Amino acid sequence: MQGQNQQQAYDRGITIFSPDGRLYQVEYAREAVKRGTASIGVRTAGGVVLAVDKRIRSPLMERSSVEKIHKADDHIGIASAGHVADARQLIDLARRQAQVNQLRYGEPVGVETLTKEITDYIQQYTQVGGARPFGVALIIGGIADGEPRLYETDPSGTPYEWKALAVGADRGDIRDYLEEHYDEGMELDAGVDLALEALASVAEDGLSPEGIGVATIDVETETFHELTDDEKAAHIESGDLAGSDSEDEDEDQAE
């Protein structure tokens, strides 16, 4: 009983390490990320791809209100997994920092620079009493000096750079799929196909254009572009990733 009480005390305090060097609140924040729907980032020779599972809880919900992919600057996009409200706060911070950099230095902010500014902010909430860590992980992708860059932010405030990654639900299974099929020299369209195939690998009912979000940042234009439903449908059809329900609906419409 005494051991349980001691663990509960460390459990409540964000500023206190447990005897084995853990911050339980940060670990709980990571669990919140795992409960969020999946988000994927893929770095290719032609740019960066962001893909997300935009699961709609009800047909009455407006699809546009489910935001998991965000434009931080013309050359940077961000995907999130975890608490949506926490993500919104960090996205607003990223957009402000991007504009501050543009006004102060007269040039677009670097992807690594922006990522570290966000993680510095996140880390403050792991050492201040009366606050809690952000229960969200971000995938930050963009173009810097003509090169695609892809980063992840962790609730502890640690940045990681990746070639391809997943956060949120089924992260382990999606990462295994990416590790098996990723090719560093692939083009941007192939990166989109890989991201959607990775999402489909853990989706029981297949994919639909309405249930996913996809955005790209191209190396040549250095411009963020969010794919339309028609563009997503073309990729889903070419990869044969549609679910049985979608196929049945197509047959009914044809009849």
Side-chain angles (χ1 to χ4, degrees):
M1 182 64 70
Q2 184 177 358
Q4 287 183 338
N5 290 337
Q6 288 179 345
Q7 181 174 351
Q8 288 174 359
Y10 295 119
D11 177 80
R12 297 190 187 102
I14 185 59
T15 61
I16 303 174
F17 285 98
S18 70
D20 55 350
R22 300 164 63 183
L23 288 174
Y24 286 106
Q25 290 291 327
V26 171
E27 295 184 16
Y28 294 159
R30 291 195 182 108
E31 289 298 320
V33 173
K34 293 178 182 178
R35 292 177 180 272
T37 53
S39 294
I40 296 173
V42 177
R43 191 182 76 191
T44 73
V48 176
V49 178
L50 302 174
V52 299
D53 179 0
K54 292 177 59 175
R55 195 171 302 160
I56 307 298
R57 295 192 300 270
S58 168
L60 302 177
M61 182 180 290
E62 285 286 354
R63 285 196 296 133
S64 59
S65 67
V66 181
E67 295 182 307
K68 289 201 61 180
I69 291 183
H70 311 261
K71 178 181 177 181
D73 203 350
D74 289 340
H75 64 300
I76 297 178
I78 300 178
S80 66
H83 284 298
V84 176
D86 288 8
R88 189 175 66 247
Q89 292 296 313
L90 296 177
I91 298 299
D92 288 345
L93 171 70
R95 289 170 173 165
R96 289 196 302 271
Q97 293 301 320
Q99 294 306 307
V100 166
N101 192 90
Q102 182 69 50
L103 291 171
R104 182 175 294 167
Y105 302 111
E107 62 183 18
V109 67
V111 183
E112 182 178 8
T113 299
L114 182 62
T115 301
K116 289 186 176 179
E117 287 179 350
I118 294 171
T119 52
D120 285 348
Y121 185 77
I122 292 172
Q123 200 275 334
Q124 294 178 28
Y125 284 79
T126 68
Q127 57 182 351
V128 178
R132 65 163 175 79
F134 288 91
V136 66
L138 304 179
I139 299 176
I140 303 175
I143 309 300
D145 299 323
E147 295 292 331
R149 306 293 293 273
L150 185 66
Y151 290 88
E152 173 195 6
T153 72
D154 181 77
S156 67
T158 306
Y160 302 96
E161 186 169 11
W162 294 81
K163 297 177 182 178
L165 78 152
V167 294
D170 301 309
R171 170 179 178 167
D173 293 337
I174 295 174
R175 186 170 59 186
D176 290 343
Y177 187 93
L178 293 172
E179 289 176 352
E180 183 178 351
H181 297 88
Y182 177 76
D183 178 5
E184 197 166 351
M186 69 175 62
E187 293 301 321
L188 196 58
D189 281 345
V192 173
D193 292 335
L194 174 62
L196 294 182
E197 290 167 5
L199 272 181
S201 70
V202 296
E204 296 180 358
D205 301 325
L207 302 182
S208 67
E210 299 80 13
I212 61 173
V214 182
T216 60
I217 307 96
D218 187 272
V219 166
E220 293 184 1
T221 62
E222 297 190 6
T223 301
F224 176 91
H225 169 65
E226 191 160 2
L227 273 63
T228 65
D229 282 352
D230 289 341
E231 290 173 319
K232 289 182 286 186
H235 281 280
I236 291 172
E237 183 178 354
S238 66
D240 193 22
L241 306 176
S244 56
D245 292 342
S246 299
E247 294 173 355
D248 292 342
E249 288 177 5
D250 292 342
E251 291 177 1
D252 293 341
Q253 290 175 0
E255 291 174 358

